[in-house]
Amino acid sequence: MYSNILTEIDAGVGIITLNRPERHNAFDDALIGELSTAIDQMAAHPAVRVLVISSTGKSFCAGADLNWMKRAAAYTTEENLRDSRALAEMLRKLAQCPKPTIARVQGPAYGGGVGLVACCDVAIATFDVQFSLTEVKLGIIPAVISPHVIAAMGERYARRYMLTAERFSAAEAYRIGLLHEMVADDVALDDAVGEVVDALMNNGPGAMAECKALVSAVASRPLSPEVLEDTAQRITRLRASEEGREGMTAFLEKRRPNWIVGV
Ligand code: COA
């Protein structure tokens, strides 16, 4: 039913694979629409506990499809805005997906491709992957990806790499926080993604969704009385929840909680 992506659900893991290798997985309106729908479906699917974003071919994602961007320049302002909003919304859905997300980065990521990596909760790449925020070279700006990129690498490095459009290595991406892990090759990449999936499968699905909401709610906010109260409210709600009670009881009874598959 999709023509630009592949989707699969296997043992609790939803996988969305960008599949436009002849265009280095650059995204146009069709790919953005499909990604948006697939993220919604994975977010709502009861069998999915973790979402992996991966790609086929040489590149992870060459960012926005420049033919599409060029076409958009001839649109009316309203049409142009609608297109840009669709991209912003797709990235928001990924960033705020209630299930944990992992970027499996097997090849270069440019422009919006860096944005996709930044939107995921965990990002793992092979050593040879290069990154670049190329937009200014093209006379445009990394606008809709910026909240995610700045959250991932911080304002200081965002300034440098957004302004210079330099290519940077996986080692640099790791150093500045865009990547969590670097591995030797595709086999090691699957192993590393598998290890993170295994860790996530042990955790309360509701608790992980609440954790994501917690991080967005408290990140970059001062330690104000409102924030203290908000955190107190959240833990109060969670420890009284069915999942919280089950998790704590299971620990004290030295058994596995009921959300672990195969209990
Ligand atoms: N949009 C549209 N087409 C793209 C694309 C993009 N973002 N990135 C690559 N392509 C196309 C190329 O135009 C080329 O098409 P052709 O076969 O019809 O000539 C094809 O993909 C292969 O690209 P090519 O440059 O020949 O391959 P490469 O292996 O030498 O380099 C990249 C691959 C991704 C490094 C290079 O294409 C590139 O730098 N792309 C632009 C990435 C970018 O700046 N993205 C940010 C956009 S905001």
Side-chain angles (χ1 to χ4, degrees):
M1 86 178 165
Y2 295 116
S3 34
N4 297 283
I5 59 172
L6 307 168
T7 60
E8 158 187 8
I9 298 174
D10 181 24
V13 184
I15 306 170
I16 301 179
T17 303
L18 277 59
N19 189 30
R20 234 187 141 212
E22 71 292 349
R23 281 281 168 270
H24 294 266
N25 299 310
F27 44 73
D28 59 4
D29 45 357
L31 178 51
I32 292 166
E34 291 187 7
L35 273 175
S36 212
T37 307
I39 293 165
D40 280 343
Q41 285 175 339
M42 293 293 186
H45 202 298
V48 173
R49 300 263 290 265
V50 177
L51 175 58
V52 175
I53 305 292
S54 68
S55 285
T56 55
K58 216 165 111 181
S59 300
F60 177 70
C61 176
D65 184 319
L66 296 167
N67 298 303
W68 165 65
M69 290 286 252
K70 194 156 176 267
R71 269 198 317 272
Y75 291 172
T76 64
T77 305
E78 199 40 53
E79 288 167 335
N80 204 334
L81 247 180
R82 198 183 51 220
D83 245 35
S84 310
R85 284 181 184 135
L87 175 57
E89 182 57 10
M90 182 275 285
L91 294 172
R92 183 202 64 75
K93 283 181 183 175
L94 182 57
Q96 294 186 341
C97 175
K99 312 212 168 141
T101 53
I102 306 173
R104 178 197 184 277
V105 188
Q106 93 299 357
Y110 296 113
V114 177
L116 275 184
V117 175
C119 284
C120 290
D121 300 313
V122 179
I124 308 175
T126 49
F127 283 112
D128 54 350
V129 167
Q130 296 224 310
F131 298 86
S132 181
L133 291 159
T134 54
E135 285 84 349
V136 290
K137 271 194 188 167
L138 303 161
I140 55 176
I141 54 171
V144 299
I145 63 170
S146 64
H148 310 290
V149 171
I150 294 169
M153 64 172 69
E155 183 181 341
R156 193 78 185 126
Y157 284 103
R159 282 181 188 236
R160 171 167 177 171
Y161 290 117
M162 284 184 181
L163 285 171
T164 62
E166 294 161 284
R167 283 192 187 181
F168 56 97
S169 63
E172 175 68 349
Y174 173 74
R175 191 182 73 81
I176 65 179
L178 178 64
L179 288 180
H180 295 97
E181 211 172 319
M182 286 179 294
V183 295
D185 52 29
D186 283 3
V187 174
L189 188 56
D190 284 331
D191 289 347
V193 169
E195 275 181 32
V196 176
V197 166
D198 289 347
L200 294 165
M201 289 299 211
N202 283 325
N203 306 335
M208 290 191 293
E210 291 282 350
C211 248
K212 289 189 68 164
L214 172 71
V215 173
S216 338
V218 304
S220 315
R221 286 177 67 194
L223 196 57
S224 63
E226 291 74 27
V227 169
L228 293 187
E229 180 57 22
D230 182 22
T231 58
Q233 298 265 356
R234 285 171 194 266
I235 185 59
T236 301
R237 184 158 45 76
L238 266 289
R239 63 187 170 204
S241 70
E242 199 178 311
E243 197 178 276
R245 279 193 274 207
E246 165 62 11
M248 290 183 286
T249 307
F251 176 83
L252 295 170
E253 291 178 355
K254 303 190 189 310
R255 62 171 174 83
R256 301 201 314 167
N258 61 10
W259 58 74
I260 295 188
V261 182
V263 166

